[in-house]
Amino acid sequence: MSKTIAILAPGAMGSAVARRLSEHGARVLTSLEGRSEATRKRAADAGMVGADDNQIASADIILSIVPPGEAVALAERLAALIVRREKKPVVVDCNAVNVDTVQRIEEIIGSAQAPFVDGGIIGFPPQPGGKSPAFYMSGEYAKEVAVLKDFGLDVRIVEGPVGAASALKMSYAGIVKGLAGIGSAMVVAATKAGAADALRDELALSQPAILARLEVALPDMIPKAYRWVAEMREISGFLGPDHPASQIYEGFARWFEHLAEDANGEAADAALMKAFAAGITQKKA
């Protein structure tokens, strides 16, 4: 059974998902208007076909995979494309947005009378021969995209309304990336105060699982920090302004913003994080 699936946009996750789908026989479209040569090459390597707006709107399923801050604008663009079409694609928002945001996106897509699915991706972009990240789907039309299992994606239905999948994503990311935020902030602070070796040794004795996680997470998060800023603010919004912990995630957003600026500048804190992680590896050798 053939399916035409549009993925917007062909970033790291979007292109990797496209490769998995095309390898399993799907026709995968994307929009390349105004995109760089590097993005065009990445899309072509993933088997994506550049398409105009009419072709995108005629797909069977549209997957929105963009930075959180772009999700609403893309929904508005998609609604304008499909509002006059008799055959409506199923639109799936796969972005790291909070429940209020995804419900707003549902209203936008609903204004074009198109079926909408709330999605949340947990895991890394699929690699050739590797497993797919988990695609959690919720809402009235979630079972309509279960067909993506036939094209190599790990689709998991969350029994619940639009917002349930996003709530899962927010909660999971809040834990995993929150731990990365705590760990990196304390590692930098300890190193600047001359306590890096002592902290590393104590974690090895009393918290070896945390130390092992930091060994991987610290260098890995440096090039990703800029992408996590908006996600932390979505998590803060998920908790709500009156929740005592919401400011924690606003603080993480500011910390990741700093790390992103540092990485593009002197990379002083990035160097401290890498050195701490390298010290863990050396101790194990």
Side-chain angles (χ1 to χ4, degrees):
M1 179 177 58
S2 179
K3 283 281 183 184
T4 298
I5 301 163
I7 296 181
L8 303 173
M13 178 64 79
S15 60
V17 170
R19 182 181 294 108
R20 176 61 53 88
L21 293 170
S22 61
E23 286 172 351
H24 285 76
R27 181 169 181 257
V28 185
L29 309 179
T30 195
S31 175
L32 295 174
E33 184 179 355
R35 309 296 292 199
S36 68
E37 283 304 314
T39 299
R40 289 174 179 271
K41 183 179 186 306
R42 181 168 59 231
D45 291 345
M48 305 176 93
V49 178
D52 61 28
D53 286 351
N54 284 332
Q55 292 170 313
I56 295 290
S58 67
D60 298 302
I61 299 170
I62 300 177
L63 302 180
S64 170
I65 305 177
V66 294
E70 299 175 16
V72 172
L74 178 55
E76 291 170 341
R77 178 189 165 198
L78 291 174
L81 294 182
I82 62 183
V83 66
R84 293 184 178 87
R85 299 192 66 86
E86 184 176 346
K87 179 180 177 292
K88 309 287 186 179
V90 180
V91 178
V92 187
D93 183 277
C94 301
N95 304 306
V97 296
N98 71 46
V99 174
D100 287 346
T101 303
V102 82
Q103 288 174 346
R104 180 182 172 195
I105 292 170
E106 179 189 25
E107 290 177 1
I108 293 167
I109 298 301
S111 70
Q113 293 81 50
F116 176 77
V117 176
D118 174 23
I121 304 174
I122 293 180
F124 296 107
Q127 299 299 316
K131 66 179 183 178
S132 162
F135 282 74
Y136 288 94
M137 307 288 194
S138 71
E140 179 183 355
Y141 300 99
K143 292 180 180 177
E144 292 192 19
V145 295
V147 68
L148 294 175
K149 291 180 182 179
D150 298 336
F151 297 95
L153 298 189
D154 180 6
V155 177
R156 307 178 188 183
I157 305 299
V158 179
E159 296 298 336
V162 164
S166 287
L168 170 63
K169 171 66 175 177
M170 292 287 95
S171 302
Y172 182 89
I175 293 169
V176 174
K177 292 172 183 173
L179 289 172
I182 292 170
S184 57
M186 291 300 102
V187 161
V188 169
T191 303
K192 289 180 177 178
D197 290 342
L199 176 62
R200 191 184 297 113
D201 291 345
E202 178 54 38
L203 288 171
L205 287 171
S206 62
Q207 303 291 339
I210 292 177
L211 189 66
R213 186 170 190 88
L214 290 176
E215 182 181 10
V216 175
L218 290 175
D220 181 65
M221 69 186 291
I222 294 167
K224 299 177 180 178
Y226 78 97
R227 298 207 313 257
W228 292 2
V229 175
E231 188 170 349
M232 293 302 104
R233 292 199 165 112
E234 289 290 333
I235 295 170
S236 178
F238 169 60
L239 290 171
D242 296 329
H243 194 290
S246 66
Q247 288 303 306
I248 293 173
Y249 289 93
E250 177 59 34
F252 283 147
R254 292 169 59 195
W255 172 238
F256 292 141
E257 206 164 38
H258 163 78
L259 290 180
E261 291 170 356
D262 173 73
N264 290 322
E266 296 180 359
D269 286 349
L272 299 182
M273 290 162 59
K274 289 178 180 178
F276 190 91
I280 300 171
T281 305
Q282 291 166 7
K283 285 275 189 178
K284 289 163 56 178

